[in-house]
Amino acid sequence: MWLVPNSTEVELLFGVTCNFFITMASGCTSEDLFDAIIMADDRFHDEGFQEGFDKGTRQGLIEGRNHGATHGARLSAELSFYYGFAFTWKCIFQDSPEPRTRKKLKALENLLALIQSFPHDDPQYGNLQEDVGKVCSLVNVPSDFRDYVSKGEEMSF
């Protein structure tokens, strides 16, 4: 006895939309079924590629967002430390009668103004590295961004 597959079984097995009963009436020949079987490898490869690409894109966005948030928080914590440092020393030097403190006070005011000029609402600020370099030169610390990149978490792919 012959078992006649329904259209869902044919679609699952061969990936084609013509069912067994419509095959003869609509002109869907057995050659179309064999072509679908032969081309299934290419179709599955293309579908798998697209599925992997979409998943990789989503995962990359998630990892990029986490990386940016982590390193942005580190950078803002460091700039906040320098701001507090400069503000404290400005308060100390402001009432000093020594003439040499005027130069130090001017440098501290420049540092405070530079830190206050950072845009807090623009995540794609183009001059970020240059401005951080200026802050680091005023504070006399190296502006090396390799530590931020090398301490990053491993990529998932």
Coordinates of all heavy atoms in Angstrom, one line a residue, residues 75-121:
L75 N 36.0 56.2 32.0 CA 36.6 57.5 31.6 C 35.9 58.6 32.3 O 36.6 59.5 32.8 CB 36.3 57.7 30.1 CG 36.9 59.0 29.5 CD1 38.4 59.0 29.6 CD2 36.5 59.0 28.0
S76 N 34.6 58.5 32.5 CA 33.9 59.6 33.3 C 34.3 59.6 34.7 O 34.4 60.6 35.4 CB 32.4 59.4 33.1 OG 31.9 58.3 33.7
A77 N 34.6 58.4 35.3 CA 35.0 58.3 36.7 C 36.4 59.0 36.8 O 36.7 59.7 37.8 CB 35.1 56.9 37.2
E78 N 37.3 58.8 35.8 CA 38.6 59.4 35.9 C 38.5 60.9 35.7 O 39.2 61.6 36.5 CB 39.5 58.8 34.8 CG 40.9 59.1 34.9 CD 41.8 58.2 34.0 OE1 41.3 57.2 33.6 OE2 42.9 58.6 33.8
L79 N 37.7 61.4 34.8 CA 37.5 62.8 34.6 C 36.9 63.4 35.9 O 37.2 64.6 36.2 CB 36.7 63.1 33.4 CG 37.4 62.8 32.0 CD1 36.4 63.1 30.9 CD2 38.6 63.7 31.9
S80 N 36.0 62.7 36.5 CA 35.3 63.3 37.7 C 36.4 63.4 38.8 O 36.3 64.3 39.6 CB 34.2 62.4 38.1 OG 33.2 62.3 37.2
F81 N 37.3 62.4 38.9 CA 38.3 62.5 39.9 C 39.2 63.7 39.7 O 39.5 64.4 40.6 CB 39.2 61.2 39.8 CG 40.4 61.3 40.7 CD1 40.4 61.1 42.0 CD2 41.7 61.5 40.1 CE1 41.5 61.2 42.8 CE2 42.8 61.6 40.8 CZ 42.7 61.5 42.2
Y82 N 39.6 63.9 38.4 CA 40.4 65.1 38.1 C 39.7 66.4 38.4 O 40.3 67.4 38.8 CB 40.9 65.1 36.6 CG 41.8 64.0 36.3 CD1 41.7 63.4 35.0 CD2 42.7 63.5 37.2 CE1 42.6 62.3 34.7 CE2 43.6 62.4 36.9 CZ 43.5 61.9 35.6 OH 44.3 60.8 35.3
Y83 N 38.4 66.4 38.1 CA 37.6 67.6 38.4 C 37.6 67.9 39.9 O 37.8 69.0 40.4 CB 36.2 67.4 37.9 CG 35.3 68.6 38.1 CD1 35.4 69.7 37.2 CD2 34.4 68.7 39.2 CE1 34.6 70.9 37.4 CE2 33.7 69.9 39.4 CZ 33.8 70.9 38.5 OH 33.0 72.0 38.7
G84 N 37.3 66.8 40.7 CA 37.3 67.0 42.2 C 38.7 67.4 42.7 O 38.8 68.3 43.6
F85 N 39.7 66.8 42.1 CA 41.1 67.2 42.5 C 41.4 68.7 42.2 O 41.9 69.4 43.1 CB 42.1 66.3 41.7 CG 43.5 66.7 41.8 CD1 44.3 66.2 42.9 CD2 44.1 67.4 40.8 CE1 45.6 66.5 43.0 CE2 45.5 67.7 40.9 CZ 46.2 67.3 42.0
A86 N 41.0 69.1 41.0 CA 41.3 70.5 40.6 C 40.4 71.5 41.4 O 40.9 72.5 41.8 CB 41.0 70.7 39.1
F87 N 39.2 71.1 41.7 CA 38.3 72.0 42.5 C 38.8 72.1 43.9 O 38.8 73.2 44.5 CB 36.9 71.4 42.5 CG 35.9 72.3 43.1 CD1 35.4 73.4 42.4 CD2 35.4 72.1 44.4 CE1 34.5 74.3 43.0 CE2 34.5 72.9 45.0 CZ 34.0 74.0 44.3
T88 N 39.3 71.0 44.5 CA 39.8 71.1 45.9 C 41.1 72.0 45.9 O 41.2 72.8 46.8 CB 40.1 69.7 46.3 OG1 39.0 68.9 46.3 CG2 40.7 69.7 47.8
W89 N 42.0 71.8 45.0 CA 43.2 72.6 45.0 C 42.9 74.0 44.7 O 43.6 74.9 45.2 CB 44.3 72.0 44.1 CG 45.0 70.9 44.7 CD1 44.8 69.6 44.5 CD2 45.9 71.0 45.8 NE1 45.6 68.8 45.3 CE2 46.3 69.7 46.1 CE3 46.5 72.0 46.4 CZ2 47.3 69.4 47.1 CZ3 47.5 71.8 47.4 CH2 47.8 70.5 47.7
K90 N 41.9 74.3 43.9 CA 41.5 75.7 43.6 C 41.0 76.3 44.8 O 41.4 77.5 45.1 CB 40.4 75.7 42.5 CG 40.0 77.1 42.2 CD 38.9 77.1 41.2 CE 38.4 78.5 41.0 NZ 37.2 78.6 40.2
C91 N 40.2 75.6 45.6 CA 39.8 76.2 46.9 C 40.9 76.5 47.9 O 40.9 77.4 48.6 CB 38.7 75.3 47.5 SG 37.2 75.2 46.7
I92 N 41.9 75.6 47.9 CA 43.0 75.7 48.8 C 43.9 76.9 48.3 O 44.3 77.7 49.1 CB 43.9 74.4 48.8 CG1 43.1 73.3 49.5 CG2 45.2 74.7 49.5 CD1 43.7 72.0 49.4
F93 N 44.2 77.0 47.0 CA 45.1 78.1 46.5 C 44.4 79.5 46.4 O 45.0 80.5 46.3 CB 45.6 77.7 45.1 CG 46.6 76.7 45.1 CD1 46.7 75.8 44.1 CD2 47.6 76.6 46.2 CE1 47.7 74.8 44.1 CE2 48.5 75.6 46.2 CZ 48.6 74.7 45.1
Q94 N 43.1 79.5 46.4 CA 42.3 80.8 46.2 C 42.7 81.8 47.3 O 42.8 83.0 47.0 CB 40.8 80.5 46.2 CG 40.1 81.4 45.4 CD 38.7 80.9 45.1 OE1 38.2 80.0 45.8 NE2 38.1 81.4 44.1
D95 N 42.9 81.4 48.5 CA 43.1 82.3 49.6 C 44.6 82.4 50.0 O 45.0 83.0 51.0 CB 42.3 81.9 50.8 CG 40.8 82.0 50.6 OD1 40.4 82.8 49.8 OD2 40.1 81.2 51.2
S96 N 45.5 81.9 49.1 CA 46.9 81.9 49.4 C 47.5 83.2 49.0 O 47.2 83.7 47.9 CB 47.6 80.7 48.7 OG 49.0 80.8 48.9
P97 N 48.3 83.8 49.9 CA 48.9 85.1 49.6 C 50.2 85.0 48.7 O 50.7 86.0 48.2 CB 49.3 85.7 50.9 CG 49.5 84.5 51.8 CD 48.6 83.4 51.3
E98 N 50.7 83.8 48.4 CA 51.9 83.6 47.7 C 51.7 84.0 46.2 O 50.7 83.6 45.6 CB 52.4 82.2 47.7 CG 52.9 81.8 49.1 CD 53.4 80.3 49.1 OE1 54.0 79.9 48.1 OE2 53.3 79.7 50.1
P99 N 52.7 84.7 45.6 CA 52.5 85.1 44.2 C 52.6 83.9 43.2 O 52.1 83.9 42.1 CB 53.6 86.1 44.0 CG 54.6 85.9 45.1 CD 53.8 85.3 46.2
R100 N 53.3 82.8 43.6 CA 53.5 81.7 42.7 C 52.2 80.9 42.5 O 52.1 80.1 41.6 CB 54.6 80.7 43.3 CG 56.0 81.3 43.2 CD 57.0 80.5 43.8 NE 56.7 79.1 44.1 CZ 57.4 78.3 44.8 NH1 58.6 78.7 45.2 NH2 57.0 77.1 45.1
T101 N 51.3 81.0 43.5 CA 50.0 80.3 43.4 C 49.1 80.8 42.2 O 48.2 80.1 41.8 CB 49.3 80.3 44.7 OG1 49.0 81.7 45.0 CG2 50.1 79.6 45.8
R102 N 49.4 82.0 41.8 CA 48.6 82.5 40.7 C 48.7 81.7 39.4 O 47.7 81.4 38.7 CB 49.0 84.0 40.4 CG 48.0 84.7 39.5 CD 48.3 86.2 39.3 NE 48.6 86.8 40.6 CZ 49.5 87.7 40.7 NH1 50.3 88.1 39.8 NH2 49.7 88.3 41.9
K103 N 49.9 81.2 39.1 CA 50.1 80.4 37.9 C 49.4 79.0 38.1 O 48.8 78.5 37.2 CB 51.6 80.2 37.7 CG 51.9 79.4 36.5 CD 53.4 79.3 36.3 CE 53.8 78.5 35.0 NZ 55.2 78.4 34.9
K104 N 49.5 78.5 39.3 CA 48.9 77.2 39.6 C 47.4 77.3 39.6 O 46.7 76.5 39.0 CB 49.3 76.7 41.0 CG 50.8 76.3 41.1 CD 51.1 75.9 42.5 CE 52.6 75.7 42.6 NZ 53.0 75.5 44.0
L105 N 46.9 78.4 40.1 CA 45.4 78.7 40.1 C 44.9 78.8 38.6 O 43.8 78.3 38.3 CB 45.1 79.9 40.9 CG 43.7 80.2 41.2 CD1 43.1 79.1 42.0 CD2 43.6 81.5 42.0
K106 N 45.7 79.5 37.8 CA 45.3 79.6 36.4 C 45.2 78.2 35.7 O 44.3 77.9 34.9 CB 46.3 80.5 35.6 CG 46.0 80.7 34.2 CD 44.7 81.6 34.0 CE 44.6 81.9 32.5 NZ 43.3 82.3 32.2
A107 N 46.2 77.4 36.0 CA 46.2 76.0 35.4 C 45.0 75.2 35.9 O 44.4 74.5 35.1 CB 47.5 75.3 35.7
L108 N 44.7 75.3 37.2 CA 43.5 74.6 37.7 C 42.2 75.1 37.1 O 41.3 74.3 36.8 CB 43.5 74.8 39.2 CG 44.6 74.0 40.0 CD1 44.6 74.4 41.5 CD2 44.4 72.5 39.8
E109 N 42.1 76.4 36.9 CA 40.9 77.0 36.2 C 40.8 76.5 34.8 O 39.7 76.2 34.3 CB 40.9 78.5 36.3 CG 40.7 79.0 37.7 CD 40.9 80.5 37.8 OE1 41.3 81.2 36.8 OE2 40.6 81.1 38.9
N110 N 41.9 76.4 34.1 CA 41.9 75.8 32.7 C 41.4 74.4 32.7 O 40.7 74.0 31.9 CB 43.3 76.0 32.1 CG 43.6 77.4 31.7 OD1 42.7 78.2 31.5 ND2 44.9 77.7 31.5
L111 N 41.9 73.6 33.7 CA 41.5 72.2 33.8 C 40.1 72.1 34.1 O 39.4 71.3 33.5 CB 42.4 71.5 34.9 CG 42.1 70.0 35.1 CD1 42.3 69.2 33.9 CD2 42.9 69.5 36.3
L112 N 39.6 72.9 35.0 CA 38.1 72.8 35.3 C 37.3 73.2 34.1 O 36.2 72.6 33.9 CB 37.8 73.7 36.5 CG 38.4 73.3 37.9 CD1 38.2 74.4 38.9 CD2 37.6 72.0 38.3
A113 N 37.7 74.3 33.4 CA 36.9 74.7 32.3 C 36.9 73.6 31.2 O 35.9 73.4 30.5 CB 37.5 76.0 31.7
L114 N 38.1 73.0 31.0 CA 38.1 71.9 30.0 C 37.3 70.7 30.3 O 36.5 70.2 29.4 CB 39.6 71.5 29.8 CG 39.9 70.5 28.7 CD1 39.5 71.0 27.3 CD2 41.3 70.1 28.7
I115 N 37.3 70.3 31.6 CA 36.4 69.2 32.0 C 35.0 69.6 31.9 O 34.1 68.8 31.5 CB 36.8 68.7 33.4 CG1 38.2 68.1 33.4 CG2 35.8 67.7 33.9 CD1 38.8 67.8 34.7
Q116 N 34.6 70.8 32.3 CA 33.2 71.2 32.2 C 32.7 71.4 30.7 O 31.5 71.3 30.5 CB 33.0 72.6 32.9 CG 33.1 72.4 34.4 CD 33.0 73.8 35.1 OE1 33.2 74.8 34.5 NE2 32.7 73.7 36.4
S117 N 33.6 71.5 29.8 CA 33.2 71.7 28.4 C 32.9 70.4 27.7 O 32.5 70.4 26.6 CB 34.3 72.5 27.6 OG 35.4 71.6 27.4
F118 N 33.2 69.2 28.4 CA 32.9 67.9 27.8 C 31.4 67.8 27.5 O 30.6 68.1 28.5 CB 33.4 66.8 28.7 CG 34.8 66.4 28.4 CD1 35.8 67.0 29.1 CD2 35.1 65.4 27.6 CE1 37.1 66.7 28.9 CE2 36.4 65.0 27.4 CZ 37.4 65.6 28.0
P119 N 31.0 67.4 26.4 CA 29.5 67.2 26.2 C 29.1 65.9 26.9 O 29.6 64.8 26.7 CB 29.4 67.0 24.7 CG 30.7 66.5 24.2 CD 31.7 67.1 25.2
H120 N 28.1 66.0 27.7 CA 27.6 64.9 28.5 C 26.5 64.1 27.7 O 26.1 63.0 28.1 CB 27.0 65.4 29.8 CG 28.0 66.1 30.7 ND1 29.1 65.4 31.3 CD2 28.2 67.4 31.0 CE1 29.8 66.3 31.9 NE2 29.3 67.5 31.8
D121 N 25.9 64.7 26.7 CA 24.8 64.1 26.0 C 25.1 63.6 24.6 O 24.2 63.2 23.9 CB 23.6 65.1 25.9 CG 23.1 65.6 27.2 OD1 23.3 64.8 28.2 OD2 22.5 66.7 27.3

